[in-house]
Amino acid sequence: MRLLLTAGPTREAIDPVRYITNRSSGKMGHALAEAAVSKGHEVILISGPVALAPPAGLAEFVAVESAREMFEAVRDRIGKCDAAIFCAAVADYRPRRIAERKIKKTGDTLTLELEKTEDILGGARTVFGFAGVLVGFAAETDNLDANARAKLERKDCDLLVANDVSRRDIGFDSGENEVRLFYRDGRVEDPPMGAKSAIAERLIRIVETLATQQG
Ligand code: C5P
């Protein structure tokens, strides 16, 4: 398979020294890339800023900062791929204006006006016309099941991987994760909690199966 993966957070500039971002170490996305490479797939990894070295053996590694850059990197590559896994924690909003100079600490309060970023996963089918296997991630603190199912449908995914990020023992920065899998046909699966590498291997196997079913 030719597989496109997004990973890590994005950074949305406020001024030359500040940005807003999402919590994400990039570990899950990089583990997915590593697992896919070791299964012999051709892997394009598009990653926001993380402290990890990209795994060896990638077909391409694209380092991006902002949601807009990630959107463009995906747009330019997804057409040739059989499957796409969107693991990145993309910022949903960015400052409407980026200050050219450092904002000085003059007022007691500071108001930033934010605008929505491009929804990359949401655009996979509708904007990019992607017809391959599409996998989204969802980090939720509340109503995990309802939010995950709604996201799966809204973004027309084949599989949605949901994380309960209100738990401290797993998820962010951790080497371990526990996920719940929601399939398009309504099936729900709870793989055992485990190392992100083990979860990554399982997810790649599932994507292989879905790709075979799609033909
Ligand atoms: O709806 P929500 O943003 O929570 O969806 C999360 C999923 O969408 C993740 O797979 C994430 O990588 C993807 N996403 C995206 N572009 C955005 C926001 C989220 O691709 N701007």
Side-chain angles (χ1 to χ4, degrees):
M1 277 191 303
R2 198 177 165 91
L3 181 72
L4 180 141
L5 265 161
T6 70
T10 66
R11 283 180 184 169
E12 312 301 329
I14 297 170
D15 71 10
V17 298
R18 305 184 180 95
Y19 55 79
I20 44 181
T21 191
N22 277 10
R23 275 186 75 178
S24 170
S25 64
K27 282 180 187 163
M28 191 65 233
H30 283 240
L32 282 162
E34 202 169 334
V37 167
S38 76
K39 296 291 299 290
H41 300 300
E42 205 178 309
V43 181
I44 301 169
L45 175 62
I46 300 169
S47 180
V50 295
L52 304 166
L58 294 172
E60 192 185 3
F61 176 71
V62 189
V64 298
E65 283 224 350
S66 64
R68 184 178 282 129
E69 286 173 14
M70 188 172 278
F71 176 86
E72 289 169 359
V74 170
R75 180 197 61 201
D76 295 347
R77 291 166 180 82
I78 196 169
K80 298 192 191 90
C81 295
D82 307 298
I85 308 180
F86 289 79
C87 190
V90 185
D92 292 315
Y93 292 89
R94 67 177 150 241
R96 176 155 272 174
R97 283 172 299 277
I98 303 175
E100 270 177 44
R101 293 154 187 259
K102 183 179 172 188
I103 298 169
K104 300 307 288 179
K105 198 168 43 180
T106 44
D108 287 334
T109 62
L110 172 69
T111 304
L112 287 174
E113 194 182 356
L114 306 178
E115 63 182 18
K116 266 199 175 146
T117 56
E118 298 78 9
D119 184 352
I120 310 168
L121 173 61
R125 305 279 192 216
T126 54
V127 183
F128 308 140
F130 180 63
V133 176
L134 185 61
V135 181
F137 273 66
E140 302 289 346
T141 55
D142 314 275
N143 298 324
L144 182 95
D145 287 34
N147 285 328
R149 269 182 236 278
K151 202 167 290 183
L152 174 95
E153 294 211 356
R154 198 169 60 241
K155 305 200 178 191
D156 203 359
C157 296
D158 296 291
L159 176 72
L160 197 115
V161 183
N163 272 68
D164 179 352
V165 292
S166 63
R167 288 180 53 179
R168 294 186 150 267
D169 51 333
I170 52 166
F172 295 134
D173 291 319
S174 164
E176 296 228 304
N177 208 357
E178 186 169 22
V179 295
R180 174 167 282 183
L181 308 181
F182 297 85
Y183 290 83
R184 190 197 278 280
D185 62 9
R187 262 183 309 141
V188 179
E189 219 175 272
D190 288 311
M193 176 172 165
K196 284 181 176 169
S197 56
I199 291 179
E201 276 170 36
R202 191 184 189 105
L203 289 174
I204 295 301
R205 274 200 302 277
I206 292 170
V207 171
E208 286 168 353
T209 308
L210 291 172
T212 314
Q213 289 166 355
Q214 261 195 3

